[in-house]
């Protein structure tokens, strides 16, 4: 049996952290986790695991020269400048729909990337990523590699962000596929996982089991069977999500 020590500070980091208008980013990420998209876009930094998965999707659908990265990780100051500039150029109503206020932006986590169809002219705020052709092929493939389209029209009343067909978020597998199959946005998924409390029940999906632990103490020790690999992520709200995979 594996014994794993979980600390309350772990709430604020991991692939499943929820960052939005209600839950600000509370822990600045370590830049050691960031890598360049590739040598052609070395100014775009993203999370290491996101990049691994993204390159696999692009290779799978043969899209490396058709889909390009537009925006990845942003510092607080970069996000503030984008927000302030958009207020001046586009107005408050537009900006609130499409640009997150500093510290409520997923781009500050390194776990989000804006993608665009390769064109001569790219709109930085709203790049073209249509529901057709190679872009739609990307959407239909990405959940198997840990991605979700973070903001969609049916969920605007929950996310408080207008539909952004270009904004992809890495949450890791199997969470991406579970969310897709159950039509859940990240806000809904974080709430949904509270039904599976550690020590009481688990969400079973293929050879995975997922549990939620509310961190109402500074530390917890959990015990996981040695036959399972374990991945830990905070939710940036109140607890930790424990994902286990049975080793075959």
């Amino acid at each position: 049996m594996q014994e794993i020590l979980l600390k309350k500070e772990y709430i604020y980091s991991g692939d499943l952290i929820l960052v939005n208008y209600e839950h600000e980013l509370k822990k600045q990420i370590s830049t050691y986790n960031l890598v360049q998209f590739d040598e052609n876009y070395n100014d775009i930094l993203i999370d290491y695991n996101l990049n691994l998965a993204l390159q696999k999707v692009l290779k799978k659908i043969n899209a490396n020269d058709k889909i390009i990265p537009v925006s990845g990780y942003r510092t607080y100051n970069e996000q503030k400048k984008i927000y302030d500039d958009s207020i001046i150029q586009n107005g408050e109503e537009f900006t609130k729909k499409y640009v997150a206020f500093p510290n409520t932006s997923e781009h500050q986590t390194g776990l989000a990337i804006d993608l665009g169809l390769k064109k001569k002219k790219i709109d930085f705020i709203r790049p073209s990523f249509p529901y057709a052709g190679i872009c739609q092929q990307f959407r239909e493939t990405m959940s198997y590699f840990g991605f979700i389209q973070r903001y969609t029209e049916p969920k605007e009343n929950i996310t408080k962000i207008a539909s952004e067909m270009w904004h992809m978020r890495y949450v890791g597998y199997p969470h991406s596929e579970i969310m897709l199959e159950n039509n859940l946005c990240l806000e809904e998924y974080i709430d949904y996982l509270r039904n599976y409390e550690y020590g009481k029940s688990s969400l079973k999906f293929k050879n995975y089991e997922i549990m939620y632990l509310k961190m109402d103490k500074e530390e917890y020790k959990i015990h996981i069977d040695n036959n399972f690999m374990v991945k830990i992520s905070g939710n940036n709200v109140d607890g930790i999500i424990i994902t286990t995979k049975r080793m075959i």
Side-chain angles (χ1 to χ4, degrees):
M1 190 71 70
Q2 308 173 59
E3 182 177 273
I4 301 171
L5 178 64
L6 301 178
K7 299 181 180 181
K8 199 166 188 177
E9 65 189 72
Y10 295 173
I11 292 174
Y12 308 114
S13 60
D15 295 342
L16 288 165
I17 55 173
L18 174 65
V19 177
N20 61 16
Y21 71 104
E22 287 185 326
H23 304 289
E24 292 190 5
L25 185 67
K26 297 179 180 67
K27 181 180 179 182
Q28 298 302 313
I29 70 160
S30 169
T31 54
Y32 290 112
N33 296 329
L34 301 176
V35 296
Q36 297 173 351
F37 174 81
D38 66 16
E39 60 185 11
N40 295 317
Y41 297 93
N42 55 19
D43 58 329
I44 294 181
L45 300 177
I46 46 181
D47 176 81
Y48 174 82
N49 290 322
L50 181 159
N51 193 45
L52 278 180
L54 180 57
Q55 299 297 344
K56 289 177 182 177
V57 182
L58 295 174
K59 183 177 180 180
K60 179 80 174 178
I61 63 172
N62 193 28
N64 292 78
D65 60 342
K66 302 167 188 172
I67 292 174
I68 63 169
V70 177
S71 183
Y73 168 72
R74 301 170 188 164
T75 65
Y76 173 90
N77 289 335
E78 287 170 335
Q79 185 65 31
K80 186 176 187 304
K81 186 177 188 308
I82 291 168
Y83 187 90
D84 292 346
D85 287 350
S86 182
I87 289 285
I88 295 168
Q89 296 167 13
N90 305 308
E92 187 174 354
E93 183 178 353
F94 175 95
T95 301
K96 285 184 175 180
K97 280 184 178 181
Y98 295 108
V99 184
F101 195 75
N103 276 349
T104 71
S105 171
E106 290 196 324
H107 283 286
Q108 289 177 245
T109 69
L111 295 166
I113 187 163
D114 292 346
L115 298 173
L117 196 59
K118 189 173 184 180
K119 293 182 174 182
K120 288 184 178 179
K121 187 175 181 181
I122 304 290
D123 185 331
F124 180 79
I125 299 294
R126 295 192 298 171
S128 175
F129 204 77
Y131 292 100
I134 196 69
C135 297
Q136 187 59 20
Q137 280 184 255
F138 183 95
R139 285 191 190 86
E140 292 169 357
T141 307
M142 66 181 182
S143 68
Y144 300 108
F145 295 87
F147 290 96
I148 59 169
Q149 182 176 326
R150 180 65 175 93
Y151 306 114
T152 61
E153 189 172 355
K155 304 295 183 178
E156 287 180 1
N157 63 319
I158 300 171
T159 64
K160 308 303 180 186
I161 295 288
S163 175
E164 295 189 355
M165 58 185 70
W166 54 86
H167 182 104
M168 307 305 169
R169 165 67 192 267
Y170 182 76
V171 293
Y173 191 90
H175 306 287
S176 52
E177 195 169 353
I178 296 170
M179 292 171 68
L180 180 64
E181 288 190 3
N182 292 277
N183 190 30
L184 299 173
C185 65
L186 187 54
E187 284 82 357
E188 293 172 308
Y189 187 57
I190 294 300
D191 284 339
Y192 177 65
L193 291 179
R194 291 191 174 94
N195 296 313
Y196 302 95
E197 293 185 47
Y198 170 76
K200 295 182 180 180
S201 65
S202 64
L203 172 59
K204 295 178 173 61
F205 183 84
K206 298 181 179 178
N207 56 334
Y208 292 86
E209 291 189 30
I210 303 164
M211 295 161 283
Y212 157 80
L213 176 64
K214 184 174 183 179
M215 291 298 291
D216 50 11
K217 298 193 301 185
E218 288 301 315
E219 293 183 348
Y220 269 102
K221 287 181 180 178
I222 64 171
H223 296 87
I224 304 293
D225 191 292
N226 286 328
N227 292 319
F228 286 85
M229 295 175 61
V230 185
K231 189 166 186 179
I232 301 298
S233 175
N235 62 12
N236 199 45
V237 182
D238 60 3
I240 289 174
I241 297 158
I242 305 154
T243 305
T244 64
K245 179 183 180 182
R246 181 175 291 279
M247 293 182 287
I248 300 173

